[in-house]
Each structure stands twice: as structure tokens, then as C-alpha cells.
Amino acid sequence: MTRTAPDEDTHHESVLSRAARILEAFSQDEPALTVSEIARRTGLHVATASRLVAELVVHGFLSRDDDRRVRIGVRLWELVMRASPTLSLRDAAMPFMEGVHDVVGHHVQLGVRQGDDVLFLERLSAPNAVINYSRIAGRLPLYASSSGLVLLAHGPADVRERVLAGPLTAYTAATAATPARLRTLLAGARQQGYAFCPGHVHEEALGVAAPVRGADGTVVAALSVIVPNDAGAQAVVPVVRMAARGVSRALGAPTAREVPAV
């Protein structure tokens, strides 16, 4: 793919759009960047990037380290935490997640669909827990994880067809990386009321997820656990399903018999 030259055709772009591109340049793997790195990632001239970074620092949306590297500022986190629509979901889920965590002792997660990915809003872990690639504010493709499969199974039909059309990259030999395999798992997630994914993202880890429903009965999130991929993992299924139902009730979801058919 040809990279757009710095500031090519961007004179029509608003300042807000350029600022958004700067904020999106950061990642969990690279939380601190130089202005030159920001300019390269955004396609902005270094002078433009430097000016916008300076303004964002003044407003607290970005901050500078002692070595002049730039990172997301506390002010941005403050505004997100104050007004995020996911707060009520997280608040409703947390007591149930803590209860599940006391039982499983590994990872408990809450995820929502964002485009073709599952975005993790919260995660509880423990020392020496099994390996887990997900993290708070991290993403995984919908087809790869137990949370993603639940959200994809109950999500819009056009999203399912787009994901089924690929590409489907295999993390392990168990990943649902073919349309036929993925359709089978999605049908199972709808019929069983949960997704059971041994070794789909990492051979040593198993994910189990169940749907969380909102007040209108639609699936708004997935509650999942990541535990060792061994013979005893099936025992966590009823724990996860019960907790997901508890979160759903806390959100005002109708009872099972009232939930609309998918």
C-alpha cells in the first residue's frame, strides 16, 4: 500500500480530524512517541504535528515525558471516565466479575463489539494466571476469541457475513480460520448460550464466554473467562453463564422467556 505523503490533500481536513489522528497514533505497545514518530504515523508534516501536539499538551490531552516523548494525558482519561456510555455496563458487571474471579482464579473479562473486533472494557487477573493476549482497551478479531464469537453470533447479519468473507488468520491450529468452521461455532454459540474455545488464541489457554443482554433483550456485551486448557475447564461454563445472566438482570434485561429470538 502506498503511504500518503505528509499533508498530501490534508489542507481540507479539519483541525479536529488531525488531532484525532494524532491521538490514534498511540497504542498499548507503544504508549510514548516522539513528534517525528507521530508525524510519520499520521502523515502530517513535523511542523504541523509539533504545533498540534503542543496544543493538546496545553489542554492536558497529551503529556510530555522528561525526554520529550509524548503520551496520552490524564485529562483525556478523566473525560472518558466521566462520560463514557460503557461505565454503567462496567459498573453492573463488576460485582459478578469479582465473584467469578474468586472461583476461577485466572482471567475474567468484559468485552463489547467495536466494528469487526471485540474491545475489552475490563479484565480481572491474578499472579501466575494462564497466558492471555487480551487486556483492558485491547482488541481481538471477533472470530478468534470466545467473547468475539458470542458477540458475532448475536450481532448484525451484515457484520457476520463480512467477517465470514475474511481474511481469517489462524492464531493456532484450533482457531476458527475457515468460513465453514466459523459458521459451526457461531451456530453453537447461539444454540448453547455460550462459546467454548479451547486453544483458539493460545494453545495453553481456553476461553468461555456468555452473552450479556441489555434492557431491550439484545446482546450488548460478552462476559468471559480465560483458564488453562485442560480437562477440568468445562466446569467453568455454568459459572460464566450464571454471572452473565446476573449482569443482564442488573441491566434490566427481560427474563429468558421474554428475550427476542435471534
Side-chain angles (χ1 to χ4, degrees), residues 12-172:
H12 298 301
E13 187 180 31
S14 69
V15 173
L16 180 59
S17 294
R18 295 185 186 192
R21 287 162 59 190
I22 288 174
L23 295 174
E24 290 171 352
F26 298 89
S27 69
Q28 288 185 318
D29 293 328
E30 295 177 283
L33 302 170
T34 65
V35 171
S36 296
E37 289 170 334
I38 292 172
R40 184 169 60 253
R41 293 184 179 202
T42 58
L44 297 170
H45 272 298
V46 173
T48 303
S50 180
R51 174 175 57 81
L52 290 173
V53 164
E55 292 186 31
L56 290 166
V57 168
V58 168
H59 290 286
F61 299 139
L62 294 177
S63 64
R64 291 188 188 272
D65 294 340
D66 292 340
D67 62 1
R68 305 294 293 170
R69 291 171 70 83
V70 181
R71 64 177 65 242
I72 296 295
V74 174
R75 176 63 171 164
L76 189 60
W77 171 85
E78 178 188 359
L79 293 176
V80 169
M81 293 303 294
R82 182 187 301 169
S84 172
T86 64
L87 284 179
S88 59
L89 172 59
R90 179 190 174 278
D91 289 345
M94 185 57 72
F96 297 94
M97 293 178 66
E98 290 172 343
V100 173
H101 188 255
D102 288 342
V103 174
V104 303
H106 285 270
H107 308 283
V108 185
Q109 306 173 144
L110 182 69
V112 296
R113 185 179 68 84
Q114 285 286 294
D116 294 348
D117 297 327
V118 51
L119 172 66
F120 294 98
L121 304 181
E122 186 59 87
R123 189 184 82 169
L124 302 179
S125 297
N128 303 316
V130 68
I131 188 169
N132 185 8
Y133 288 156
S134 62
R135 46 191 161 179
I136 297 174
R139 295 176 179 239
L140 283 174
L142 287 171
Y143 69 88
S145 69
S146 57
S147 293
L149 288 175
V150 163
L151 295 168
L152 188 58
H154 295 279
D158 63 318
V159 175
R160 280 198 298 276
E161 293 307 314
R162 183 170 67 242
V163 172
L164 283 162
L168 303 172
T169 302
Y171 286 77
T172 71

